[in-house]
Amino acid sequence: MLELQSKARAASRIRVLIVDDSAVMRSLLRSVVSTDSVLEVAGTASDGLSALNALSVVRPDLVLLDVEMPVMDGLATLKQMRERAPRLPIIMCSALTQRGAQVTIESLASGASDYVAKPTGQTSREAAMQALAAELIPKIRALTMRSTLSSATRWPNLPAGTAAPHLSARPAHSAAPGAVVIGVSTGGPAALDVILPALPASFPVPVFVVQHMPDLFTRQLAERLNRRCALGVCEAAEGMAVRPGQVYIARGDWHLKLVTAPGQSQTLHLDQSPLENHCRPSVDVLFRSAAQAYGGNLLAVMLTGMGHDGLEGARTLYDLGATILAQDEASSAVWGMPGAIVHENLAHAVLPLQRMAAEILRLCTKPDSEAIMLRESAV
């Protein structure tokens, strides 16, 4: 059943379509959305088929979509919504269960913009509403409003050695990097689903990834990528040995650090030290740790994401001479994290998602004698 808002919609407000089979959850989401004066509930639907029928009537700016529903589940609904509205922001609402995590990861890889976990353990409706609002409202705003860091400018194709506004002119490390570190958040599973499967089994260095995501979800993400990639992909674990050609996904709610002991192989260390940038795992923590382990002999890649986690870590790597790539605004779900390092002139190249894997491979397999100024023509 579809319920439409009866009052006139203000053109300046962000219209949200709520899709959930639970009347209690629909009511909770309605209350959360109503806490922000910029947002309005444009309509609600109790199943996927009703939601699809509502799209042309409601014309929402964003959809909140339940993962588990009768008639048509969230994943099937998402895929059909993507066919009808390819750029419509869609946030999945998932239970913190193994089944919920599996479907959510598949949904994110299939084009969902982001997700929120349904509140659990709160002692009252008010507490549940506050917990959900703290997570959901910033995501709705980030996906529907242009970031203050964003610009309509698209960086032009540049010949070798040419500097441009917001691009670093400082040369990067001259040798092929000893490792790749990747930071990513909103829109990350879909971005990783493009980049990592494109890297060959012969890829010569380890890859460390911080994806902002809770525990259980990161395990499902690693398992899905492992099935799709020529490289081995695993969720990071305490004491795990670092090997070339292996991708390590930081575990949700744990910072990922690299430990180098004299005369011993490099290993992974996980801890629950305080959140940084409201995040655990944090990109900044990984980047700082990688700087201690590899110095400037690193390739850092900043992909789509909300906020600025990784900015200070990228600054540390930049000062050491590491090579830094940033995803461009046009292909990012949210141009917060990559936009932050671009605007601080820390990126050596700003690339669309579809060209990122080729540049990573080029840089990691180039002869040490190759000139290290990044060239658009080489991608």
Side-chain angles (χ1 to χ4, degrees), residues 181-361:
V181 287
I182 298 176
V184 63
S185 186
T186 312
L192 294 173
D193 203 55
V194 171
I195 293 173
L196 295 181
L199 300 179
S202 59
F203 193 73
V205 299
V207 180
F208 307 98
V209 180
V210 163
Q211 160 74 65
H212 294 157
M213 201 168 260
D215 200 4
L216 182 63
F217 283 67
T218 49
R219 186 186 320 145
Q220 296 295 336
L221 175 64
E223 290 177 358
R224 185 185 189 281
L225 286 169
N226 189 54
R227 293 191 295 269
R228 289 184 43 76
C229 294
L231 299 175
V233 182
C234 66
E235 183 183 51
E238 176 65 26
M240 186 177 284
V242 173
R243 296 186 175 87
Q246 177 73 31
V247 181
Y248 303 92
I249 307 289
R251 180 181 174 185
D253 202 32
W254 293 78
H255 291 308
L256 175 60
K257 301 177 180 179
L258 308 180
V259 176
T260 305
Q264 297 182 4
S265 300
Q266 195 174 83
T267 58
L268 304 183
H269 173 60
L270 280 61
D271 69 40
Q272 291 187 308
S273 52
L275 280 67
E276 294 201 21
N277 307 305
H278 309 288
C279 301
R280 191 169 59 209
S282 165
V283 180
D284 272 331
V285 171
L286 172 63
F287 281 13
R288 286 200 308 268
S289 177
Q292 292 176 352
Y294 292 93
N297 191 28
L298 278 167
L299 172 59
V301 181
M302 190 68 79
L303 301 176
T304 174
M306 183 172 67
H308 57 81
D309 185 30
L311 174 59
E312 292 308 314
R315 200 186 310 277
T316 298
L317 294 178
Y318 178 86
D319 289 342
L320 290 170
T323 305
I324 301 177
L325 307 179
Q327 185 175 349
D328 73 351
E329 184 180 5
S331 66
S332 295
V334 178
W335 207 54
M337 288 162 55
I341 67 168
V342 171
H343 280 268
E344 290 295 318
N345 302 324
L346 301 176
H348 294 90
V350 183
L351 302 172
L353 177 64
Q354 294 293 339
R355 300 172 71 176
M356 192 68 76
E359 182 68 349
I360 292 171
L361 183 60

Side-chain angles (χ1 to χ4, degrees), residues 78 82 88-92 107-108 111-115 143 186-188 333:
L78 167 72
R82 275 285 162 261
L88 176 66
I90 300 172
I91 298 178
M92 308 302 293
S107 298
L108 291 168
S113 309
D114 208 341
Y115 75 99
L143 288 166
T186 312

Side-chain angles (χ1 to χ4, degrees), residues 158-176:
L158 300 173
T162 301
H166 308 299
L167 286 180
S168 169
R170 178 188 288 186
H173 202 279
S174 60

